[in-house]
Amino acid sequence: MNEEMEKAPLTEEPAKAETTVVVGVSFRNSTKSYYFDPGALTITPKDFVIVETTRGMEFARVVFGNKEVPTSSIVAPLKRVIRIATEADVRRNEENRDSEERARKIGEEKIAKHKLEMKLVDVEYTFDNQKLLFYFTAEGRVDFRELVKDLASVFRTRIELRQIGIRDEAKMMGGLGVCGRPFCCSSFLSDFVQVSIKMAKEQNFSLNSSKISGSCGRLMCCLRYEHESYEEALKTTPPVGSTVQTPNGTGVVIETRPLLQLIKVRPEEGTDAPKLYRCDEVTVLSAGKGKKPKAPQKDAN
């Protein structure tokens, strides 16, 4: 009995992944949430908080309260929540927003005075008023050293100018897309997604730039949403120009509907009108513009 027990393999319980308690917060003009250390505070999504950042103290909105996450998912060092915002903090944040409107007008006047080719997009005070940030767009590099000196003499605080792209401008300003809904980037996207003209081609979009570009002038972010589905569907969809064998004879593919797995085929002989076929009804004889699709998987039953 003892020998059997000695030979029996020892089973070890899997080690539990190390976790850390965090809260998620977001800042103005941002849909991305960031982890912060709540310390001994119990924080709920309804709260506003004052947090420590590389820019100093900041006013932030709580996205989710105290929560355990894998320590490996945290980018060190984890900054802390200084306190839950008080009524005085909320008032100060509102006062900062009012001050930013004044700063914006002065900023535009100073830019015109120095005759700089730049467009002021937004102005932001840090919560502690230790820094005033001016966000702008420009075609190229701008020498704004004299502008910074001029602004510093007016506001008596540290001035920082940041050049941003037109996608960042759209995210900050917000607006409605061609679909009638708020911009994805300013409503729920945490980061800009990579979009290519290939995605528009695979989804049978018109390549007219006005049809596939957002208000920012770049390709619409939503081209990405169904991209994976189209890529998978195209593997079993004969491309336009392919010669296929259909139940009614041979023909040429003149239109594809990948997500529906349908193709429109023009008969090679006769005067019959083009017909729709399911992809699994045809056999590809010669591929067209793209590669020959994989044979559709038939139900074993």
Side-chain angles (χ1 to χ4, degrees), residues 108-254:
E108 289 173 341
E109 292 172 359
K110 296 298 183 182
I111 289 172
K113 172 187 171 183
H114 290 275
K115 299 180 180 178
L116 296 174
E117 295 295 325
M118 56 192 290
K119 175 187 174 184
L120 187 59
V121 176
D122 199 12
V123 178
E124 181 182 357
Y125 264 111
T126 56
F127 179 76
D128 54 11
N129 297 120
Q130 294 300 307
K131 186 187 293 185
L132 180 57
L133 298 99
F134 291 82
Y135 298 92
F136 71 93
T137 58
E139 291 295 329
R141 293 179 62 86
V142 179
D143 183 357
F144 48 68
R145 287 174 293 183
E146 293 303 317
L147 173 63
V148 171
K149 293 178 183 178
D150 206 351
L151 292 172
S153 67
V154 174
F155 297 105
R156 303 293 181 180
T157 190
R158 184 179 174 186
I159 301 296
E160 185 173 322
L161 269 73
R162 291 188 181 179
Q163 185 170 355
I164 61 174
I166 56 177
R167 296 181 84 188
D168 298 294
E169 179 184 6
K171 183 180 179 70
M172 283 186 172
M173 302 299 291
L176 297 179
V178 293
C179 59
R181 296 178 60 83
F183 294 161
C184 297
C185 59
S186 62
S187 57
F188 66 87
L189 283 182
S190 57
D191 290 301
F192 289 116
V193 294
Q194 290 186 337
V195 190
S196 67
I197 197 71
K198 177 185 175 184
M199 296 178 184
K201 290 180 180 177
E202 290 182 345
Q203 296 175 46
N204 290 328
F205 272 93
S206 165
L207 297 186
N208 184 330
S209 61
S210 64
K211 300 288 186 181
I212 57 177
S213 300
S215 299
C216 61
R218 297 290 187 262
L219 291 173
M220 295 187 294
C221 294
C222 55
L223 289 173
R224 180 81 186 189
Y225 301 161
E226 295 181 350
H227 175 60
E228 287 78 10
S229 298
Y230 270 93
E231 274 193 324
E232 194 62 31
L234 284 168
K235 292 178 182 179
T236 53
T237 304
V240 171
S242 299
T243 301
V244 294
Q245 180 69 47
T246 75
N248 300 312
T250 60
V252 178
V253 179
I254 61 172

Side-chain angles (χ1 to χ4, degrees), residues 278-292:
R278 296 196 313 272
C279 292
D280 59 4
E281 289 182 308
V282 305
T283 301
V284 179
L285 302 177
S286 64
K289 298 177 182 177
K291 296 180 180 179
K292 187 173 180 179

Side-chain angles (χ1 to χ4, degrees), residues 59-76:
F59 187 89
R61 176 176 59 86
V62 177
V63 178
F64 61 82
N66 298 51
K67 174 182 176 182
E68 286 190 5
V69 300
T71 303
S72 59
S73 67
I74 297 173
V75 179

Side-chain angles (χ1 to χ4, degrees), residues 45-64:
K46 295 181 181 180
D47 294 329
F48 289 100
V49 291
I50 306 300
V51 297
E52 177 188 4
T53 72
T54 54
R55 301 193 315 184
M57 291 196 303
E58 293 284 359
F59 187 89
R61 176 176 59 86
V62 177
V63 178
F64 61 82

Side-chain angles (χ1 to χ4, degrees), residues 8-68:
L10 297 175
T11 57
E12 296 181 0
E13 293 185 2
K16 293 183 178 179
E18 187 179 353
T19 61
T20 302
V21 177
V22 300
V23 295
V25 308
S26 67
F27 302 94
R28 58 179 292 189
N29 295 328
S30 175
T31 53
K32 187 174 183 177
S33 60
Y34 299 85
Y35 289 158
F36 280 85
D37 176 11
L41 298 171
T42 300
I43 300 172
T44 67
K46 295 181 181 180
D47 294 329
F48 289 100
V49 291
I50 306 300
V51 297
E52 177 188 4
T53 72
T54 54
R55 301 193 315 184
M57 291 196 303
E58 293 284 359
F59 187 89
R61 176 176 59 86
V62 177
V63 178
F64 61 82
N66 298 51
K67 174 182 176 182
E68 286 190 5

